[in-house]
């Protein structure tokens, strides 16, 4: 997936490996951002659809795709330039936390101010961000290979993750883990913050909703939200649906057929 090859971050307080990577990045024409103190760098294999200044010392960089804001502001049909203007305005109005909670899509964003920065995705962190903090060198990337390569001499396998991969349905490691001990993934509701030579993984507190009785209006509203969510992620030409024969994939197939017509939907079962 091309989206998985887009962005890499590095934070190097003061180390030999940091100085080496800084030099590599500076020689790479694809680098998007370098802090004044040379400790935080960001580079991408392709152009982000947002790379805008917000005020004098603030910048917002976004890669991936954002379809809507809270299912009410649909921006899928806009050009990247138009999306950029709308999203920068919404980001300034809502603030980082609300923007993370309400932006629908598969994306990663870097918000920098002076020599501090925050990396975040949507509230589920649908686009994987791998990270590792070793030898006074912090690296985060949308693909795991450059991190594994950088720390290849010290890598050890995470036996718990391997056990789950080989024994559970779907064959995957838990969301915040990888097959390596010292390489993690950003979890649901989490963000990375860099400030004063410190790196922190921050998480929004979980707030369960109160139990209440649902009536017909609630069900209709849920149906509208579900249809809208499928619609903004769909194509007007061809849509492929991988079926597991469960409720989730079958529901998506039915909604796509209703919204786009059966001729624009292809169902696939892998055996």
């Amino acid at each position: 997936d091309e989206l998985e090859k887009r962005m890499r971050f590095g934070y190097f307080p003061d180390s030999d490996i940091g100085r080496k990577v800084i030099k590599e990045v500076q020689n790479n024409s694809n680098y998007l951002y370098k802090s004044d103190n040379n400790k935080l760098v960001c580079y991408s294999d392709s152009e982000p659809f947002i790379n805008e200044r917000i005020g004098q010392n603030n910048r917002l960089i976004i890669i991936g795709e954002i379809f809507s804001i809270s299912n009410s502001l649909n921006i899928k049909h806009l050009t990247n330039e138009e999306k950029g203007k709308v999203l920068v305005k919404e980001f300034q109005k809502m603030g980082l936390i609300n923007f993370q909670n309400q932006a629908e899509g598969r994306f990663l964003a870097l918000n920098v101010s002076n020599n501090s920065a925050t990396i975040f995705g949507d509230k589920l962190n649908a686009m994987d961000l791998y990270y590792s903090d070793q030898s006074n060198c912090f690296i985060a990337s949308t693909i795991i290979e450059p991190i594994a390569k950088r720390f290849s001499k010290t890598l050890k396998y995470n036996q718990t993750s391997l056990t789950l991969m080989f024994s559970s349905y779907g064959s995957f490691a838990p969301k915040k883990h990888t097959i390596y001990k010292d390489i993690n993934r950003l979890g649901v509701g989490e963000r990375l913050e860099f400030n004063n030579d410190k790196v922190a993984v921050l998480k929004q507190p979980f707030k369960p909703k109160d139990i209440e009785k649902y009536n017909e209006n609630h069900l209709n509203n849920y149906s509208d939200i579900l249809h809208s969510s499928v619609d903004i992620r769909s194509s007007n030409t061809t849509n492929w649906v991988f079926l597991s024969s469960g409720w989730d994939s079958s529901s998506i197939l039915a909604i796509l057929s209703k919204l786009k017509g059966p001729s624009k939907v292809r169902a696939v079962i892998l055996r």
Side-chain angles (χ1 to χ4, degrees):
D1 189 338
E2 186 62 26
L3 289 177
E4 299 301 341
K5 301 179 180 179
R6 291 255 178 128
M7 187 178 281
R8 302 171 195 172
F9 308 89
Y11 188 71
F12 315 104
D14 188 21
S15 63
D16 291 338
I17 190 172
R19 284 184 283 272
K20 180 180 179 182
V21 176
I22 288 286
K23 186 175 181 180
E24 290 176 4
V25 171
Q26 287 177 326
N27 292 330
N28 186 328
S29 60
N30 293 330
Y31 87 85
L32 301 174
Y33 174 80
K34 176 174 65 67
S35 62
D36 295 336
N37 59 8
N38 279 347
K39 293 182 178 180
L40 176 66
V41 294
C42 167
Y43 65 100
S44 170
D45 294 336
S46 59
E47 286 295 316
F49 74 91
I50 291 182
N51 188 352
E52 299 284 344
R53 284 194 177 276
I54 304 176
Q56 186 174 358
N57 298 314
N58 200 316
R59 179 174 290 277
L60 180 65
I61 300 171
I62 300 180
I63 56 114
E65 190 168 13
I66 296 180
F67 308 112
S68 69
I69 302 294
S70 191
N71 266 313
S72 58
L73 178 59
N74 188 342
I75 62 173
K76 181 181 178 181
H77 62 286
L78 301 179
T79 66
N80 283 348
E81 183 178 353
E82 292 170 333
K83 282 183 182 179
K85 292 178 180 179
V86 172
L87 291 174
V88 166
K89 183 178 178 180
E90 291 297 313
F91 183 83
Q92 290 177 298
K93 181 174 69 176
M94 301 167 64
L96 191 150
I97 300 300
N98 287 331
F99 187 89
Q100 181 180 26
N101 285 333
Q102 298 188 43
E104 291 281 339
R106 191 164 174 266
F107 69 94
L108 277 173
L110 172 66
N111 181 225
V112 292
S113 178
N114 296 322
N115 289 314
S116 63
T118 303
I119 302 173
F120 65 97
D122 68 299
K123 59 187 175 183
L124 300 177
N125 279 315
M127 181 182 284
D128 284 330
L129 182 70
Y130 304 93
Y131 64 91
S132 186
D133 191 2
Q134 302 180 55
S135 306
N136 208 22
C137 170
F138 183 96
I139 300 179
S141 173
T142 52
I143 51 177
I144 198 171
E145 284 83 358
I147 304 178
K149 182 179 179 180
R150 182 67 60 186
F151 300 119
S152 59
K153 294 181 179 179
T154 59
L155 277 184
K156 294 182 180 179
Y157 287 109
N158 185 323
Q159 297 301 320
T160 302
S161 292
L162 290 177
T163 300
L164 286 169
M165 287 181 65
F166 291 128
S167 62
S168 63
Y169 177 79
S171 302
F172 55 84
K175 172 64 176 175
K176 295 175 62 174
H177 303 271
T178 70
I179 62 171
Y180 301 111
K181 270 189 174 181
D182 295 315
I183 302 179
N184 299 305
R185 282 189 291 179
L186 209 58
V188 172
E190 291 185 341
R191 64 188 186 277
L192 290 173
E193 289 203 354
F194 309 86
N195 194 21
N196 296 325
D197 287 350
K198 293 181 180 179
V199 183
V201 179
L202 303 181
K203 184 175 183 178
Q204 296 185 39
F206 173 67
K207 296 179 180 179
K209 292 186 178 295
D210 295 331
I211 296 175
E212 59 179 298
K213 290 184 178 180
Y214 293 114
N215 55 36
E216 194 69 22
N217 289 333
H218 287 100
L219 294 175
N220 289 333
N221 185 45
Y222 177 84
S223 176
D224 291 341
I225 293 173
L226 180 59
H227 278 70
S228 174
S229 296
V230 173
D231 189 28
I232 61 177
R233 291 166 171 81
S234 64
S235 167
N236 289 324
T237 54
T238 304
N239 298 275
W240 295 88
V241 182
F242 290 91
L243 292 177
S244 65
S245 300
W247 281 107
D248 296 338
S249 57
S250 298
S251 298
I252 292 172
L253 177 66
I255 292 172
L256 278 171
S257 297
K258 175 183 175 182
L259 294 175
K260 304 298 181 181
S263 64
K264 295 182 179 179
V265 182
R266 296 288 184 269
V268 178
I269 297 178
L270 299 179
R271 294 183 178 178

